[in-house]
Amino acid sequence: MQNVSAESLEIAKAKYQTGKLAFENGQYREAVENLEKASALLTRNSRLGGEVELWLATAYEAAGRTEDAIALCQQLKRHPFAETNKQAKRLLYILQAPKLKRPSEWMTEIPDLGKLPDNESKIRVTVNPRKSSGQKAPQPEFVDLSQVNTKDNRFIWVALIAMGLTISYLVWSSFY
């Protein structure tokens, strides 16, 4: 068992917190770097060492290093702290579970905007557009009625007939 100096412990805690924050912000590579540094400064069998390594295994998975995450969880299954080995077993179960195929219609593809040519000079976006007297009012959008689904619109006819009867009754009652 290695002894950890107070200075190393403080550095490890700082790296651990930085790694957790990076992970929570989606910066997985940075999270892995900080958590690896924190893990190297801590006693592996300590409670904090186990906690750091659980976060590291999760960061490995998020960074696409699933094999490293599985290997680390297999080590943590034998951790002396009961909560750590229990969580490692759960995480290992999740990591080794078969990946389910999702139908493509369940997914929305997000285009990679990084591949677009630099066009900052062509596009201007204003936060608060101001109307000047020279601008035209926006044109109304026209709907192609041949594209409108008119099936199951019986309710509209019932509503129109009910409105017609109501107006007729009001007009009739105003004369008597």
Side-chain angles (χ1 to χ4, degrees):
M1 184 172 187
Q2 70 186 45
N3 291 330
V4 179
S5 69
E7 184 179 327
S8 293
L9 183 61
E10 289 305 312
I11 294 171
K13 285 181 178 179
K15 291 288 183 188
Y16 174 46
Q17 292 303 322
T18 304
K20 279 176 40 176
L21 185 62
F23 180 86
E24 290 168 351
N25 289 323
Q27 300 166 335
Y28 305 123
R29 185 186 51 77
E30 183 180 329
V32 166
E33 289 173 8
N34 283 295
L35 292 168
E36 283 177 337
K37 289 175 185 174
S39 177
L41 294 171
L42 294 169
T43 304
R44 191 171 207 122
N45 290 334
S46 69
R47 180 179 179 169
L48 182 59
E51 189 177 324
V52 168
E53 288 191 333
L54 280 170
W55 273 92
L56 180 58
T58 307
Y60 279 153
E61 169 62 20
R65 295 172 56 183
T66 305
E67 294 304 316
D68 292 333
I70 290 172
L72 185 55
C73 283
Q74 287 174 335
Q75 291 174 5
L76 289 171
K77 281 193 326 186
R78 295 179 295 279
H79 196 275
F81 187 63
E83 187 63 28
T84 300
N85 68 39
K86 187 167 112 180
Q87 288 182 5
K89 288 175 186 174
R90 287 180 180 166
L91 184 56
L92 185 61
Y93 179 78
I94 292 168
L95 293 174
Q96 291 178 329
K99 303 293 183 221
L100 299 176
K101 296 282 184 186
R102 294 184 184 140
S104 60
E105 59 267 7
W106 288 7
M107 310 283 261
T108 301
E109 188 172 327
I110 300 173
D112 184 7
L113 300 179
K115 294 180 181 178
L116 293 177
D118 188 23
N119 58 2
E120 289 179 19
S121 62
K122 298 177 186 174
I123 299 174
R124 301 272 185 225
V125 177
T126 57
V127 178
N128 294 324
R130 297 183 183 137
K131 287 188 177 180
S132 65
S133 59
Q135 289 182 341
K136 293 182 179 179
Q139 296 295 319
E141 185 177 325
F142 295 103
V143 177
D144 182 9
L145 295 179
S146 66
Q147 301 297 321
V148 176
N149 180 8
T150 58
K151 293 181 181 178
D152 299 327
N153 285 340
R154 292 185 202 117
F155 173 76
I156 293 181
W157 290 111
V158 171
L160 287 173
I161 291 169
M163 285 177 33
L165 290 173
T166 304
I167 292 172
S168 299
Y169 172 75
L170 290 174
V171 171
W172 178 77
S173 65
S174 68
F175 289 119
Y176 294 104

